[in-house]
């Protein structure tokens, strides 16, 4: 099989009960290439009936799938991994066309998604709970993990190939049925991944795709047949989803937005730190929940570090994601580009020093693209909006502090706690930050604190609502409940 990478594409479909279906809601939206403005396809939104059909098909499939031997359950996942790897380049091309990031970034995100399929294949081991002989006189006790039913995941636009795979493989490996609601801004790559799901050998109804927007999400959250929901997206929506799903008695994990910091101490390798800082802030055009865009630098090396950052930033090429040599692709929509431009203007108004202005960037051959060049502010104050609010564009701001304690204080004053990075040559400073920073992921001499799939991934504070995070062992816990057998055999 081949994946259709050449737009215009037919309207985006749902995948329910092993069949392709057309969403039956009245709303929908056009999907456009962020770099060219070209119309790629249209996605229709799913109605309450569409959602109900998907959930009921999941419930029916769960009756058998939940008790299918685990070794059989992971076979379609092995096949899915093979198919994803065989079609990784085609998927990456689709992803670039609808999202705007670079081809390498698209391939990279798919690789991180595939990693989750691999980890989920370990479920015969990771789903085991525990056994204790002679837990009490003549009594043996055994804890077991059981799947629960139908789960849903509602995912954002910025990693449309990877984030669905934070959930789907674990949900089905543990014996549940799964319904994905991808972002309506770039839903095509998820549809293409489902073309591979369709071939991987899952029984009908185990894995399903419903497209849509807010109403579709609400139908999923309000449906009695949905046992739990995973959400990844912006903080205000994460909070709403958490409250609505919990009020409906569902398990819920809701990952929200971010504002991440980099700390650079005077003992750091400054050139290395500058390279990683610019990559962290500008990769995927800054549309990453792990983008570190507030850079807190020890005063003794502040001026030197600013110069290094500016050299690095000026070196980045803005362009079309499928063209060789592009470092920074397009932003998702013109509306989002305007929002980022407004935030840059707010930074200027609030008194930060605009050291590099990416607003006048032009990309030859792509006059209609949503492009912004790397933008660097100096002398940022932690109270400024550019230091407090998520920008989601290729913009970073630098500020100086006296020492590591002040740096940690700046970081911990943030409402968010998704991630942070520290560049240092000092183990003592690393230990201070490791002990004091209120973040879910901390990179030491690593610009983007993205854990491998066998570790959980999730933030703190306003970056996360719930308790069990995405990926790894947390997903096994989220998708199962434990039962304890207390056994006595008086004749033994
Ligand atoms: P978003 O919140 O606008 O949308 C996310 C999903 O929620 C989409 O599927 C959308 O259809 C749905 N949705 C939007 N508004 C809704 C509403 N009012 N009610 C119900 N559902 C709604 O987010 P986005 O713009 O697609 O993604 C960017 C955001 O995601 C950023 O804030 C980014 O930091 C965050 N993000 C967080 C993580 C993380 O791990 N914490 C990872 C990736 C992205």
């Amino acid at each position: 099989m081949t994946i259709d990478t050449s737009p215009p594409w037919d309207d985006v479909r749902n995948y329910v009960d092993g069949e392709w279906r057309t969403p039956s809601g009245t709303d929908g939206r056009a999907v456009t290439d962020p770099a060219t403005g070209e119309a790629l396809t249209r996605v229709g939104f799913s109605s309450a009936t569409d959602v109900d059909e998907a959930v009921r098909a999941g419930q029916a499939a769960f009756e058998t799938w939940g008790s299918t031997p685990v070794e059989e359950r992971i076979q379609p996942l092995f096949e899915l991994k093979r198919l994803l790897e065989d079609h990784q380049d085609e998927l990456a091309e689709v992803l670039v066309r609808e999202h705007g990031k670079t081809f390498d970034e698209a391939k990279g995100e798919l690789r991180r998604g595939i990693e989750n399929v691999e980890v989920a294949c370990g479920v015969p081991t990771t789903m085991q709970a525990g056994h204790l002989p002679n837990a009490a006189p003549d009594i043996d006790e055994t804890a077991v993990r059981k799947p629960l039913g139908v789960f849903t995941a509602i995912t954002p636009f910025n990693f449309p190939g990877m984030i669905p795979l934070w959930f789907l493989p674990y949900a089905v490996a543990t014996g549940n049925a799964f319904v994905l609601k991808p972002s309506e801004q770039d839903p095509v790559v998820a549809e293409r991944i489902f073309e591979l799901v369709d071939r991987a050998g899952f029984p009908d109804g185990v894995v399903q795709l419903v497209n849509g927007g807010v109403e579709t999400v609400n139908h999923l959250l309000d449906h009695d047949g949905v046992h739990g929901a995973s959400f990844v997206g912006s903080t205000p929506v994460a909070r709403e989803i958490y409250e609505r799903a919990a009020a409906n008695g569902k398990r819920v994990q809701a990952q929200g937005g971010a504002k991440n910091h980099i700390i650079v101490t005077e003992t750091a390798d400054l050139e290395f730190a500058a390279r990683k800082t610019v990559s962290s802030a500008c990769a995927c055009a800054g549309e990453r929940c792990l983008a570190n865009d507030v850079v807190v630098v020890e005063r003794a090396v502040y001026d030197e570090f600013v110069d290094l950052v500016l050299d690095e930033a000026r070196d980045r090429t803005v362009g079309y994601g499928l063209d060789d040599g592009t470092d920074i692709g397009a932003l998702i929509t013109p509306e989002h580009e305007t929002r980022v431009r407004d935030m840059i203007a707010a930074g200027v108004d609030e008194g930060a020093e605009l050291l590099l202005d990416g607003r006048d960037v032009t990309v030859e051959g792509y006059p209609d693209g949503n492009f912004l060049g790397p933008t660097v502010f100096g002398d940022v104050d932690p109270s400024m909006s550019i230091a407090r609010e998520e920008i989601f564009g290729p913009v970073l701001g630098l500020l100086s502090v006296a020492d590591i304690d002040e740096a940690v204080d700046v970081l911990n004053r943030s409402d968010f706690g998704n991630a942070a990075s520290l560049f240092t040559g000092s183990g003592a400073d690393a230990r201070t930050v490791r002990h004091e920073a209120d973040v879910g992921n901390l990179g030491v001499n690593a610009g983007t604190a993205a854990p491998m799939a066998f570790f959980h991934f999730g933030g703190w504070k306003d970056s996360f609502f719930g308790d069990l995070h995405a990926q790894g062992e947390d997903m096994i816990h989220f998708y199962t409940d434990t039962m304890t057998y207390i056994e006595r055999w008086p004749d033994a």
Side-chain angles (χ1 to χ4, degrees):
M1 76 170 283
T2 51
I3 284 184
D4 180 5
T5 57
S6 305
W9 294 308
D10 292 340
D11 287 3
V12 182
R13 300 156 297 170
N14 287 350
Y15 182 77
V16 173
D17 207 10
E19 286 176 358
W20 293 103
R21 298 187 186 173
T22 304
S24 72
T26 46
D27 288 345
R29 65 177 275 162
V31 180
T32 50
D33 184 327
T36 63
E38 176 196 1
L40 301 174
T41 183
R42 180 182 181 280
V43 59
F45 290 179
S46 299
S47 64
T49 307
D50 299 331
V51 167
D52 185 54
E53 285 172 2
V55 175
R56 284 179 192 281
Q59 287 177 304
F62 174 68
E63 286 185 19
T64 315
W65 184 247
S67 51
T68 297
V70 65
E71 184 58 18
E72 279 178 42
R73 288 204 305 261
I74 58 175
Q75 297 312 314
L77 287 170
F78 282 115
E79 182 61 7
L80 181 60
K81 167 184 154 65
R82 188 188 67 75
L83 288 163
L84 287 166
E85 284 174 341
D86 286 355
H87 295 284
Q88 196 174 345
D89 283 4
E90 295 151 278
L91 291 171
E93 188 176 334
V94 170
L95 207 160
V96 172
R97 289 190 191 283
E98 66 173 339
H99 178 282
K101 65 177 66 176
T102 71
F103 186 70
D104 284 350
E105 288 167 345
K107 275 192 81 168
E109 84 159 87
L110 289 162
R111 180 60 231 154
R112 300 306 300 263
I114 294 167
E115 212 177 275
N116 282 275
V117 182
E118 293 167 354
V119 173
C121 287
V123 78
T125 305
T126 52
M127 203 174 157
Q128 292 178 26
H131 176 80
L132 190 61
N134 299 313
D138 295 330
I139 287 184
D140 300 337
E141 295 192 3
T142 310
V144 294
R145 295 201 165 279
K146 294 192 166 193
L148 294 161
V150 180
F151 281 82
T152 186
I154 298 130
T155 54
F157 82 83
N158 65 328
F159 286 96
M162 173 182 75
I163 292 180
L165 296 174
W166 283 355
F167 308 107
L168 183 161
Y170 303 100
V172 300
T174 47
N176 299 285
F178 180 78
V179 183
L180 174 68
K181 204 303 284 175
S183 171
E184 65 277 37
Q185 301 197 67
D186 47 12
V188 183
V189 73
E191 190 203 43
R192 298 291 185 270
I193 288 174
F194 269 73
E195 289 177 3
L196 306 181
V197 165
D198 183 46
R199 297 171 66 89
F202 294 101
D204 293 350
V206 170
V207 197
Q208 333 220 38
L209 172 69
V210 294
N211 285 286
V214 176
E215 289 305 314
T216 310
V217 172
N218 289 339
H219 295 319
L220 282 162
L221 297 180
D222 294 345
H223 198 295
D224 286 348
V226 172
H227 199 92
S230 303
F231 173 84
V232 184
S234 56
T235 287
V237 181
R239 192 180 272 117
E240 268 181 48
I241 300 270
Y242 181 72
E243 288 170 358
R244 189 164 185 145
N248 286 332
K250 301 187 193 315
R251 285 190 174 199
V252 54
Q253 48 177 198
Q255 304 195 197
K259 189 70 183 175
N260 306 310
H261 296 66
I262 284 184
I263 299 173
V264 181
T265 75
E266 59 182 80
T267 56
D269 174 340
L270 295 184
E271 280 182 25
F272 177 74
R275 197 160 66 245
K276 295 295 179 190
T277 295
V278 173
S279 297
S280 179
C282 297
C284 298
E287 293 169 330
R288 294 199 299 176
C289 69
L290 287 179
N292 289 298
D293 60 357
V294 185
V295 189
V296 185
V297 188
E298 281 189 336
R299 200 153 291 137
V301 292
Y302 179 79
D303 290 340
E304 186 184 351
F305 191 68
V306 168
D307 288 343
L308 289 166
V309 163
L310 287 170
D311 287 348
E312 275 294 329
R314 287 191 189 104
D315 213 29
R316 306 285 154 133
T317 305
V318 181
Y320 182 42
L322 291 174
D323 288 346
D324 286 343
T326 298
D327 299 309
I328 298 177
L331 293 163
I332 186 73
T333 55
E335 295 75 24
H336 183 58
E337 183 194 330
T338 301
R339 195 189 149 269
V340 178
R341 285 177 182 275
D342 289 348
M343 289 213 63
I344 295 172
V348 174
D349 289 348
E350 289 174 30
E353 190 185 359
L354 187 56
L355 300 170
L356 182 64
D357 187 351
R359 290 177 293 183
D360 53 3
V361 76
T362 52
V363 179
E364 210 183 311
Y366 301 98
D368 298 322
N370 316 319
F371 293 110
L372 269 179
T375 298
V376 179
F377 282 104
D379 287 338
V380 170
D381 187 274
S383 65
M384 293 175 180
S385 54
I386 54 167
R388 287 184 293 106
E389 295 171 24
E390 185 169 44
I391 302 175
F392 239 49
V395 180
L396 68 91
L398 297 125
L399 61 112
S400 64
V401 288
D403 55 24
I404 196 74
D405 293 326
E406 189 183 347
V408 173
D409 185 53
V410 169
L411 186 158
N412 282 345
R413 270 191 270 155
S414 172
D415 290 340
F416 300 97
N418 209 36
S421 287
L422 166 70
F423 287 90
T424 189
S426 157
D429 285 348
R431 188 170 190 274
T432 298
V433 179
R434 185 173 169 171
H435 282 255
E436 302 297 331
D438 296 335
V439 292
N441 303 280
L442 175 64
V444 176
N445 296 318
T448 304
M452 301 293 284
F454 25 87
F455 285 92
H456 71 261
F457 172 66
W460 289 9
K461 294 157 74 176
D462 282 359
S463 296
F464 183 71
F465 304 91
D467 36 29
L468 295 166
H469 296 97
Q471 296 196 150
E473 195 182 343
D474 272 24
M475 288 301 350
I476 307 294
H477 291 237
F478 186 72
Y479 286 132
T480 58
D481 213 342
T482 45
M483 173 193 274
T484 310
Y485 294 145
I486 299 120
E487 289 183 89
R488 174 190 286 131
W489 296 97
D491 300 338

